[in-house]
Amino acid sequence: MRILGISALYHDSAAAIVTDGNVIAAAQEERFTRKKHDPGFPRHAIEYCLKEAGCGLADLDAVVFYDKPFLKFERLLQTYVAFAPRGMRSFQMAIPIWLREKLFQKKWLADELAKLAPDFDPSGIMFTEHHLAHAASAFYPSPFQDAAVLVMDGVGEWATTSLAIGSGADLKIHKELHFPHSLGLLYSAFTYYTGFRVNSGEYKLMGLAPYGEPKFTKLILDNLVDLKDDGTFRLDQSYFDYCTGLTMTNPRFDALFGKPARTPEQLLTPFHMDVAASIQAVTEEVILRLARSIRAETGLPNLCLAGGVALNCVANGKIHRAKIFDRMWIQPAAGDAGGAVGAALAAYHLRNGKPRVALADATDGMNGAYLGPALLPDQTEAELTAAGAKYVVLSETEMIDRAANALAEGKALGWVQGRMEFGPRALGGRSILGDPRSPAMQKTLNLRVKYRESFRPFAPSVLEEDLSQWFDLDEESPYMLLVANVREARCIAMTEAQKLLFGIDKLNVPRSEIPAVTHIDYSARVQTVSKRTNPLYHALISRFRDLTGCPVVVNTSFNVRGEPIVCTAGDAFRCFMGSEIETLVIGNCFLQKQDQDPALKLDYKAAFDLD
């Protein structure tokens, strides 16, 4: 049985295909169109998934969309009526789009799919509720036969936070919080207030938080959030404008904090850092209370997480360290893109009554998230030759050796291997790597390679077998979704003078033997690398360990600010020539910047809209 899942029209459109319960392929449309967070119909992603599964649209048993448009439209209309006459401008902008595109999505989907296959039968198109798709994406690929599933995001049709219970092939939503009371929208409101782009800059807000103090936590809980002991909450809508307006917050919100919203690219001040620290603290408290109440109510030892809020790896780390659950598993594509996987799995198990697929290695069903297009040697060489690249083709052993030596020499290394990752994280398939021992590496990669804010943290990729020697983490973290502390033995104590530094001044103080991946609070967003799921990446880090004694490398996504992660060899070469990456490895092709024709250099600083 083959089922195609689709998410589209809001942000991060994606497609995924499930064959007999196995996730065969999944990809975001942005990787093909090169338009970050592309919300359009995922034509290219669908074509890729069908090719990977070796079938056409006519061979599918179903096509499933990841939410129900009529329920979402009902919420839209009821919200505008409830807040009338406020929101007239927003209403006038939204309704034509809904009537033209979003409301009659079955016809829209049928028309778009017919462009790919004129004989496509639209009777196989189905819809699943948004939060059920998220829950399915978390539970069915997880290693658990029984689990509580917590979904937290902005909003689906009505639900913003939900609890589902999974058992075997069965999955049911048990409780929901409804719009406009949303933890995701609350966090996005602060993303907007601190000058970052909503649905994109939430990572920045989380990364900025450690530089500040949570001075406004009580202010938020006293005025914005009525938080109950069980983690449920209500938001005072008089401070927000997201229900009917064109912004997330309003003048009353500004007055509460005593300053207007920061404009994009405006200087970040200690005030903004304190605001970020405060909303992060509130978010963590909400999630911890929810987790505790879920464990108490269900008695289940396992927790699965999905929805955009589940990408808050700092909060995830707090749940893990609190030992509320015995084990937890987080969908690597926890945001809307992952809804495509969940929609297909929900149809397979719930509508068709199919049993769970037994996991061969008892890990999970996401295949390390390496679900995107693979590199093909002939195609790679053809693309590089057509681009005018100068490269040498090496044996695998020699390629790994030269790449590891480049890292040990302090060079930034573009690393493009195997299948592309699904989800927002680069996991050693489409990555830029560096030496974590270098005190200057974080600043260098941010300012000279990624062209982004200097405070943005980088993640360590660590060999699975060496994890306990470097980080306080007692389980795998293959998807870079848990923050853990660096082991105390690896840390460097701050001097009294350094302790007096404030804000961004803290950035340049080395805190451990691996300063490039150690946050200012001595934590790190850890990715464990297994020989089972990515043997080539494991071999590279192992060789780096042989050269340096360090089984850790800096890992960040292969793109510059505002650009989607690279997909093809051509994408990688263009980014290589548009940034200050010194060395590039694509498959077995080895490239050095110094060997390239200077005429091919690009200016990537202004090539993409800022995120």
Side-chain angles (χ1 to χ4, degrees):
M1 175 172 280
R2 298 188 185 98
I3 300 176
L4 179 71
I6 295 175
S7 63
L9 291 180
Y10 297 97
H11 54 89
D12 296 307
S13 292
I17 195 160
V18 168
T19 299
D20 296 331
N22 294 295
V23 183
I24 301 300
Q28 293 113 294
E29 185 69 2
E30 66 166 19
R31 308 294 170 84
F32 304 96
T33 63
R34 313 307 301 154
K35 177 183 177 183
K36 194 160 188 179
H37 302 303
D38 192 339
F41 179 72
R43 167 190 292 269
H44 301 88
I46 290 171
E47 289 178 328
Y48 155 68
C49 287
L50 293 173
K51 182 179 178 181
E52 190 67 32
C55 67
L57 281 173
D59 301 312
L60 298 174
D61 293 279
V63 175
V64 191
F65 196 72
Y66 81 134
D67 67 12
K68 293 190 173 183
F70 281 99
L71 285 177
K72 188 163 283 190
F73 188 63
E74 175 190 60
R75 186 251 300 167
L76 186 77
L77 289 180
Q78 287 194 28
T79 300
Y80 280 121
V81 169
F83 284 86
R86 287 172 52 195
M88 180 56 69
R89 185 182 172 199
S90 175
F91 178 81
Q92 290 173 332
M93 293 174 64
I95 291 302
I97 297 172
W98 269 90
L99 295 179
R100 185 174 63 249
E101 298 174 6
K102 296 183 178 182
L103 185 57
F104 304 104
Q105 278 179 25
K106 187 166 186 176
K107 182 179 186 307
W108 173 77
L109 284 168
D111 291 346
E112 291 295 334
L113 290 168
K115 294 175 184 177
L116 298 177
D119 59 344
F120 173 72
D121 180 3
S123 64
I125 297 175
M126 299 186 295
F127 298 83
T128 185
E129 290 192 22
H130 188 91
H131 270 227
L132 183 60
H134 274 315
S137 79
F139 176 61
Y140 291 122
S142 80
F144 310 136
Q145 281 300 305
D146 299 279
V149 187
L150 176 59
V151 177
M152 302 168 290
D153 65 359
V155 60
E157 294 86 4
W158 278 103
T160 63
T161 303
S162 62
L163 167 64
I165 303 297
S167 180
D170 188 46
L171 179 67
K172 288 186 176 67
I173 301 288
H174 278 242
K175 289 185 176 182
E176 293 179 341
L177 291 179
H178 283 181
F179 182 86
H181 308 292
S182 164
L183 186 59
L185 290 175
L186 175 68
Y187 204 85
S188 290
F190 279 86
T191 301
Y192 167 83
Y193 181 70
T194 49
F196 303 124
R197 182 175 292 183
V198 172
N199 291 328
S200 174
E202 283 78 8
Y203 298 123
K204 300 183 187 183
L205 188 65
M206 183 178 65
L208 187 64
Y211 293 92
E213 299 293 333
K215 297 178 179 178
F216 302 107
T217 300
K218 187 175 187 300
L219 184 75
I220 294 170
L221 292 173
D222 286 348
N223 294 275
L224 302 182
V225 185
D226 180 12
L227 178 61
K228 305 302 182 185
D229 289 342
D230 64 356
T232 59
F233 57 90
R234 294 182 66 83
L235 305 183
D236 186 337
Q237 291 302 306
S238 66
Y239 292 95
F240 303 97
D241 205 27
Y242 58 75
C243 281
T244 56
L246 303 177
T247 61
M248 294 298 295
T249 61
N250 61 28
R252 191 164 188 236
F253 189 103
D254 296 351
L256 181 66
F257 288 91
K259 293 181 185 292
R262 172 179 170 264
T263 59
E265 309 310 309
Q266 183 181 339
L267 180 68
L268 284 163
T269 68
F271 168 77
H272 300 112
M273 299 169 197
D274 292 341
V275 168
S278 301
I279 188 56
Q280 179 64 31
V282 169
T283 300
E284 292 167 9
E285 182 61 25
V286 172
I287 293 173
L288 285 168
R289 290 192 191 188
L290 284 169
R292 290 190 183 100
S293 66
I294 289 169
R295 179 64 195 262
E297 179 180 342
T298 67
L300 290 167
N302 303 314
L303 176 69
C304 299
L305 295 175
V309 177
L311 294 172
N312 193 308
C313 53
V314 178
N316 296 341
K318 292 285 180 73
I319 299 174
H320 175 75
R321 287 193 295 279
K323 301 298 182 185
I324 299 168
F325 289 86
D326 296 356
R327 296 179 67 192
M328 59 189 291
W329 190 86
I330 307 158
Q331 163 57 240
D336 273 12
V341 168
L345 288 171
Y348 181 77
H349 293 293
L350 298 178
R351 186 177 180 87
N352 292 287
K354 299 293 184 180
R356 298 277 294 280
V357 175
L359 298 173
D361 58 3
T363 53
D364 63 53
M366 287 297 290
N367 300 304
Y370 305 113
L371 295 167
L375 284 178
L376 301 175
D378 290 346
Q379 183 179 347
T380 294
E381 292 180 37
E383 286 186 37
L384 290 176
T385 300
K390 302 291 192 300
Y391 62 93
V392 293
V393 181
L394 307 173
S395 69
E396 184 175 294
T397 300
E398 189 177 6
M399 177 272 291
I400 289 172
D401 188 64
R402 291 188 65 177
N405 273 281
L407 288 172
E409 292 165 5
K411 295 177 180 177
L413 172 71
W415 177 257
V416 182
Q417 302 289 346
R419 294 182 70 176
M420 180 180 68
E421 302 91 338
F422 180 55
R425 307 295 193 203
L427 301 169
R430 304 292 185 273
S431 293
I432 298 171
L433 309 177
D435 185 346
R437 301 170 304 156
S438 168
M441 185 58 67
Q442 179 184 3
K443 194 170 184 178
T444 297
L445 288 178
N446 270 326
L447 299 181
R448 293 177 50 207
V449 174
K450 302 280 282 189
Y451 303 128
R452 67 185 195 182
E453 302 93 341
S454 63
F455 70 85
R456 301 275 291 276
F458 290 108
S461 291
V462 59
L463 296 177
E464 183 180 75
E465 57 268 31
D466 292 321
L467 172 65
S468 62
Q469 299 175 38
W470 290 81
F471 302 98
D472 288 330
L473 189 60
D474 57 4
E475 68 176 61
E476 296 178 359
S477 177
Y479 301 123
M480 210 182 286
L481 286 170
L482 289 176
V483 163
N485 289 331
V486 177
R487 288 296 296 267
E488 187 175 355
R490 305 286 181 181
C491 292
I492 300 170
M494 295 178 68
T495 66
E496 292 303 316
Q498 289 170 340
K499 291 177 181 178
L500 297 176
L501 295 174
F502 192 83
I504 297 298
D505 291 336
K506 300 176 182 178
L507 179 64
N508 298 320
V509 178
R511 282 173 168 73
S512 77
E513 295 176 31
I514 44 175
V517 294
T518 304
H519 300 175
I520 64 171
D521 58 0
Y522 290 94
S523 70
R525 176 164 46 94
V526 179
Q527 180 202 2
T528 53
V529 179
S530 168
K531 195 173 184 178
R532 299 188 310 277
T533 54
N534 197 330
L536 207 59
Y537 193 34
H538 187 277
L540 173 69
I541 303 173
S542 296
R543 181 62 185 137
F544 181 75
R545 178 186 59 187
D546 294 342
L547 293 170
T548 66
C550 179
V552 181
V553 297
V554 179
N555 178 12
T556 186
S557 56
F558 198 151
N559 60 325
V560 300
R561 183 182 176 190
E563 178 192 20
I565 297 174
V566 302
C567 178
T568 66
D571 296 337
F573 182 71
R574 284 187 292 273
C575 188
F576 174 62
M577 295 305 296
S579 66
E580 296 182 54
I581 301 172
E582 294 118 319
T583 309
L584 173 62
V585 179
I586 308 178
N588 283 14
C589 298
F590 189 87
L591 300 85
Q592 298 185 93
K593 182 65 67 62
Q594 64 196 38
D595 298 334
Q596 307 306 315
D597 182 350
L600 296 176
K601 186 167 178 58
L602 301 169
D603 181 10
Y604 257 37
K605 284 185 180 180
F608 299 92
D609 292 337
L610 296 180
D611 59 1

